[in-house]
Amino acid sequence: MAHPLKFDPPFRAEHIGSLLRPRELKDAFRAAMQGAIDQRALREIEDRTIVGAIKLQEEVGLQSITDGEFRRTAWSTGLLKALAGLEDRPSLFEFRDAQGNAQRWDTCFAARRIRRARAIATGEYEFVRLHTARTPKVTLPAPSFLHFFRGPDCADAAAYPDLDQFWSDLIGIYQDELADLARLGATYVQFDEVPLAMLCDEAVREKVHTRGENPKTVIETYVRALNEIVRTAPPAMTVGIHLCRGNLRGKWMAAGGYEAIADQLFNTLRVGAFFLEYDSARSGDFSPLRFVPRNKRVTLGLVSSKAPALESKLDLKKRIDEAAKYLGLEQMGISPQCGFASTAGGNPLTSEDQIAKLRLVVETAHEVWR
């Protein structure tokens, strides 16, 4: 199969990160938690299934390759396990679905000064690099994750009487991680950013205001933190940001188009690529793309990873044409709107559904950008 044009990331056809975990890996996670197998045995199963995930991505024609996030029980656990000083606390937000079912979840809380006890994703990167000749993509939760879901109560006041110090510590942690990734040869990093996407939702902004914060100031804080982190990345490293309104077994946390943050997002944030959730009406229309400067790229997340129904290639092409009214076709690519398994349980799709959707992304990219 020929590859889509454009051989530097972001590619015309992209995958956001996580893949459905094989049953063998999910069973191994459970056995390790119960003490039935040791970490060495778990690692052997992780390694074997990741090699399979890499082969799957290569076979469908993708040029950027992740480890499927197979070493993580959830998209954020690599970060949380690497940082010392964190404890679990209830999130102030919950997931919901089209039937109105809600699901609560726990987030993190800085009980002490946080520090990077070990690297976050360097090991993941090195393993992928050893097993593919294509471009490894590193995925990292954006720093806003450690603040937004509890807001001003994200840290113990005894540890952080001033949240400016919290942000300083956090920015330093990410700068160190990027430096280590760069030394190992990583050239492609994607920050997974949920809070900024949620702040497109008027109900979410009102909730933020009610807890005593100005949503505009919160957005500025997150953009400033990311800019300080990205400022230290080497020129050869492509840094992108994936915006997601929540992805848990087909559920989400917010809705709302990008208009509320578009100008600041596209023109102030110092990243070169944006991976935008666009699989449903919850993401609004394409008009905010008019703010994207010519030197930046947008990957349209038009294919749903939340549901098994396979999109029509004709409909995808029509949506790309609609987006092209606001942004040059040469600046765009296509992807699923998110990963297929933000947690080990995965979204309500089969592995066959997942492969079909990834093939559809690649085939559509070939036909649009050949």
Side-chain angles (χ1 to χ4, degrees):
M1 180 183 290
H3 300 309
L5 300 177
K6 195 174 186 304
F7 292 96
D8 295 317
F11 300 96
R12 297 301 186 191
E14 283 280 351
H15 166 48
I16 296 304
S18 63
L19 294 168
L20 295 171
R21 276 63 158 183
R23 170 52 57 190
E24 178 188 20
L25 180 57
K26 290 194 283 189
D27 289 345
F29 281 148
R30 186 176 300 107
M33 290 177 62
Q34 295 170 348
I37 63 172
D38 61 19
Q39 287 301 306
R40 180 177 178 179
L42 174 61
R43 178 77 183 207
E44 289 175 353
I45 295 169
E46 288 174 345
D47 288 353
R48 183 167 62 255
T49 55
I50 289 169
V51 170
I54 291 170
K55 183 178 295 186
L56 182 157
Q57 292 169 83
E58 291 176 340
E59 288 176 349
V60 300
L62 291 167
Q63 293 303 299
S64 63
I65 307 295
T66 76
D67 67 351
E69 299 182 359
F70 279 10
R71 300 198 197 279
R72 312 178 191 180
T73 53
W75 68 287
S76 59
T77 52
L79 170 68
L80 301 182
K81 288 182 177 180
L83 302 189
L86 297 175
E87 295 180 358
D88 289 344
R89 291 287 191 280
S91 169
L92 301 181
F93 294 88
E94 60 186 18
F95 286 90
R96 59 183 183 273
D97 60 20
Q99 290 72 45
N101 301 309
Q103 183 169 338
R104 305 285 298 181
W105 61 288
D106 284 345
T107 188
C108 56
F109 173 80
R112 296 168 296 283
R113 287 281 296 270
I114 54 174
R115 61 180 178 85
R116 181 172 171 259
R118 62 175 176 81
I120 302 165
T122 57
E124 295 174 351
Y125 164 76
E126 287 185 289
F127 189 84
V128 174
R129 183 189 62 178
L130 287 173
H131 289 87
T132 186
R134 301 185 187 179
T135 303
K137 178 162 72 170
V138 177
T139 62
L140 294 168
S144 60
F145 174 79
L146 284 88
H147 171 268
F148 182 73
F149 297 105
R150 289 188 60 82
D153 191 28
C154 68
D156 192 307
Y160 289 108
D162 184 344
L163 281 185
D164 286 346
Q165 184 60 56
F166 168 83
W167 284 108
S168 178
D169 287 352
L170 193 53
I171 289 167
I173 286 166
Y174 277 89
Q175 289 175 335
D176 289 345
E177 181 72 14
L178 282 193
D180 284 349
L181 285 166
R183 278 192 288 271
L184 292 170
T187 59
Y188 196 12
V189 174
Q190 172 189 295
F191 287 104
D192 293 321
E193 173 62 70
V194 178
L196 280 176
M198 291 180 64
L199 285 161
C200 295
D201 189 322
E202 181 57 41
V204 171
R205 291 198 299 274
E206 179 58 31
K207 188 168 186 174
V208 168
H209 179 78
T210 300
R211 72 188 189 190
E213 294 178 294
N214 183 329
K216 182 175 182 294
T217 303
V218 172
I219 293 169
E220 290 170 352
T221 298
Y222 296 163
V223 169
R224 183 166 57 251
L226 276 169
N227 281 344
E228 278 300 298
I229 294 162
V230 173
R231 177 180 58 80
T232 64
M237 180 180 283
T238 297
V239 180
I241 181 173
H242 165 232
L243 272 77
C244 172
R245 291 158 181 79
N247 179 26
L248 178 66
R249 299 180 182 178
K251 298 181 176 67
W252 57 88
M253 289 188 286
Y258 297 100
E259 188 73 22
I261 65 170
D263 191 6
Q264 190 170 16
L265 179 74
F266 297 132
N267 290 294
T268 306
L269 198 53
R270 297 174 186 160
V271 299
F274 297 89
F275 303 89
L276 302 182
E277 189 175 47
Y278 260 125
D279 65 319
S280 74
R282 288 191 305 276
S283 301
D285 63 23
F286 295 117
S287 61
L289 299 180
R290 70 189 186 278
F291 289 104
V292 179
R294 290 192 59 81
N295 65 335
K296 297 188 178 183
R297 301 290 179 263
V298 170
T299 299
L300 302 173
L302 301 177
V303 174
S304 177
S305 68
K306 288 185 169 74
L310 187 63
E311 289 78 1
S312 155
K313 191 183 296 182
L314 179 61
D315 286 345
L316 293 179
K317 290 179 178 179
K318 287 180 179 178
R319 297 204 69 201
I320 292 169
D321 286 342
E322 180 65 25
K325 295 176 182 178
Y326 304 98
L327 181 66
L329 190 63
E330 72 280 0
Q331 292 179 253
M332 293 190 289
I334 183 174
S335 73
Q337 111 285 345
C338 195
F340 290 91
S342 294
T343 64
N347 287 350
L349 300 88
T350 66
S351 58
E352 291 77 16
D353 296 330
Q354 174 180 256
I355 292 171
K357 284 174 179 276
L358 291 174
R359 287 195 187 281
L360 176 63
V361 165
V362 174
E363 290 171 2
T364 303
H366 281 302
E367 294 180 18
V368 172
W369 288 282
R370 58 188 170 189

